[in-house]
Amino acid sequence: MDLKSGYPFWAVKNGLLTAFPQLIRDHECEVVIIGGGITGALIANELSRHGHHVVVVERREVGWGSSAASTALLQYEIDTHMVDLAEQYGEANAVMAYHACADAILTLEGLAAELGNVAFERHQSLYYASNEEDVAALKAELVLRQQHGFDVTWLERHEVLSTYGFEAPGAILSELGASIDPYRMAYQLFEKVVARGGEVYDRTQVERIEPSAQGVEIILTNGASLRCQQVVIAAGYESQNWLPESVAANRSSYAFVTDPLPYEALGILRHTLVWESARPYLYMRSTQDGRLLVGGDDDEEDIPERRDARVIEKAQGLAAKIETLWPALDINPTFCWAGTFAETSDGLPYFGPHASLGPRVHFALAYGGNGITYSVVGAKLLRALIEGNDHPLAELYSFQRLKRQQ
């Protein structure tokens, strides 16, 4: 699957950071991770730092799938409101899901400090009502979050205008948000995995997976065999190729990054993630070198050729929306791209085994707008499953949830 179009900023900015070898021989290990993006990197790091012998295989270069196209807004705020999740799965589960994402941001902050040079920055997160009709829903969301200890406040129209310089009927301001360079972090995490005795191979494609009672055999397209005890499929949106049923809808999201803007032009936007209540939503953040990174205008297109043809037009449309909100900003889309992502019906991920492949093959489907924070949660959840331990989110994030949706 061709997962992106155009010139993703992270790959252009960083280049190919490390060359990993191909796997061209028969091999054995404890856990195989299929997928060399940020999700695979976080899972490999979690397992290897707890003593598991991990082998990662990626069919492209590491980080060159959807991770290179990520805009990497780190939020605990799930695309589905806590209020709506509470109605569907109970308030305790909804709160637990939100708190897990909040904890994940703090975990990422610790990892970033350990790794260094991954452009981690803390931000506030401004979630604004796109129209008057959305105000009541956002206020109900605010109340539930406040009841469960989240540091959020309500801003009236005049406060949004005076502080952030644009018109909106109201907004939730959250204190916990962040941003990161996901491409660089993936590479550095994989280097840590290798330093601990793990192995990372790129340009290594899986042909088929053959689980048995004794273990799992993975046959590569080059004919080599890789035997292991457990497998984690963290191949992003291509992971669904190993499932007998669709669990998410593939969509395309579009993004661009500007040239560096004057410090005074960005003002408080340098320290704020901004997104809206409309669906699909406009979202934006700054980069460490003062660029504005803007995304949104998602559509249902997942045919690469059609997605490719829309990149420039979509970027121009997003730029026009930003200039409508902030007329003083001169927005020039310097690098424009699009990426395929998957969206579940409830906004939650799936982690763990599926009945079709048995208990030794786990999926890591960190789908939706919280992909990176979900991956942190999923890494700990999958380690618990592999080690035979319980995890409080194992049931909610399992494929058993599909039955409750039917």
Side-chain angles (χ1 to χ4, degrees):
M1 185 183 293
D2 180 2
L3 296 176
K4 60 189 183 303
S5 311
Y7 298 93
F9 177 60
W10 307 120
V12 172
K13 176 177 179 286
N14 293 306
L16 188 63
L17 293 171
T18 303
F20 294 100
Q22 288 179 286
L23 180 60
I24 56 175
R25 60 182 174 83
D26 292 348
H27 196 28
E28 294 185 3
C29 67
E30 182 189 355
V31 183
V32 170
I33 297 172
I34 301 172
I38 186 63
T39 297
L42 287 162
I43 295 168
N45 178 68
E46 176 71 15
L47 291 172
S48 68
R49 76 189 305 162
H50 287 88
H52 297 278
H53 178 206
V54 172
V55 166
V56 179
V57 292
E58 163 60 48
R59 77 180 187 90
R60 303 175 182 84
E61 280 77 17
V62 159
W64 194 244
S66 296
S67 296
S70 171
T71 49
L73 281 74
L74 303 180
Q75 297 169 292
Y76 70 82
E77 298 153 296
I78 296 169
D79 284 349
T80 303
H81 286 176
M82 187 191 295
V83 168
D84 297 325
L85 285 177
E87 289 182 0
Q88 193 166 2
Y89 300 114
E91 190 169 316
N93 279 328
V95 172
M96 183 165 54
Y98 266 70
H99 273 302
C101 286
D103 292 342
I105 294 175
L106 302 180
T107 298
L108 285 163
E109 185 172 29
L111 275 176
E114 176 186 329
L115 296 170
N117 194 27
V118 293
F120 181 93
E121 286 189 301
R122 287 284 291 269
H123 302 278
Q124 293 180 317
S125 175
L126 186 74
Y127 181 31
Y128 71 90
S130 305
N131 50 62
E132 291 285 355
E133 289 74 19
D134 290 347
V135 168
L138 263 63
K139 285 187 173 180
E141 179 71 8
L142 175 92
V143 169
L144 187 59
R145 290 195 208 172
Q146 287 178 330
Q147 287 175 355
H148 292 283
F150 290 92
D151 191 354
V152 289
T153 55
W154 180 257
L155 302 183
E156 297 290 352
R157 180 189 294 272
H158 71 276
E159 293 173 298
V160 176
L161 181 60
S162 63
T163 306
Y164 296 95
F166 73 100
E167 290 276 358
I172 297 174
L173 180 64
S174 298
E175 292 300 319
L176 181 59
S179 61
I180 205 164
D181 181 336
Y183 183 85
R184 181 172 285 275
M185 183 176 225
Y187 270 91
Q188 293 191 198
L189 286 172
F190 283 134
E191 289 169 5
K192 286 279 189 182
V193 169
V194 171
R196 297 188 192 107
E199 301 164 68
V200 179
Y201 300 95
D202 60 19
R203 294 157 295 126
T204 301
Q205 187 166 351
V206 174
E207 178 71 25
R208 63 184 186 275
I209 301 170
E210 298 181 351
S212 68
Q214 290 73 42
V216 185
E217 183 175 12
I218 294 175
I219 308 301
L220 305 178
T221 54
N222 60 23
S225 171
L226 182 53
R227 295 179 181 273
C228 61
Q229 291 301 306
Q230 307 269 351
V231 174
V232 176
I233 300 176
Y237 317 113
E238 295 171 307
S239 299
Q240 294 191 82
N241 294 335
W242 279 287
L243 289 170
E245 59 192 324
S246 175
V247 299
N250 281 4
R251 298 173 62 81
S252 289
S253 188
Y254 301 84
F256 72 84
V257 68
T258 67
D259 288 323
L261 298 173
Y263 187 89
E264 62 276 7
L266 281 179
I268 198 170
L269 297 179
R270 279 186 171 272
H271 310 290
T272 311
L273 312 177
V274 180
W275 57 304
E276 65 172 330
S277 61
R279 296 294 186 270
Y281 55 83
L282 176 75
Y283 54 93
M284 55 175 281
R285 71 171 178 91
S286 66
T287 64
Q288 281 193 330
D289 57 350
R291 301 171 189 266
L292 202 60
L293 198 163
V294 179
D297 206 6
D298 305 349
D299 59 32
E300 296 180 358
E301 189 58 73
D302 67 348
I303 298 175
E305 293 80 5
R306 294 179 185 174
R307 184 192 63 211
D308 294 353
R310 296 180 179 183
V311 170
I312 299 301
E313 179 185 354
K314 292 277 192 174
Q316 291 171 343
L318 290 168
K321 290 180 180 179
I322 297 299
E323 289 180 336
T324 298
L325 292 171
W326 293 279
L329 287 179
D330 183 15
I331 300 299
N332 175 37
T334 305
F335 297 105
C336 313
W337 67 92
T340 296
F341 73 101
E343 188 174 66
T344 60
S345 61
D346 56 13
L348 297 179
Y350 291 99
F351 292 106
H354 189 277
S356 61
L357 288 173
R360 293 180 180 271
V361 180
H362 304 269
F363 285 83
L365 309 184
Y367 291 166
N370 294 69
I372 297 176
T373 51
Y374 277 157
S375 296
V376 174
V377 177
K380 296 178 181 179
L381 191 161
L382 291 170
R383 179 169 70 85
L385 294 180
I386 288 169
E387 294 175 352
N389 298 321
D390 295 329
H391 189 281
L393 282 164
E395 182 178 354
L396 181 63
Y397 288 173
S398 76
F399 290 102
Q400 295 299 312
R401 192 168 86 247
L402 291 169
K403 296 179 181 179
R404 299 177 63 176
Q405 297 170 5
Q406 295 170 353

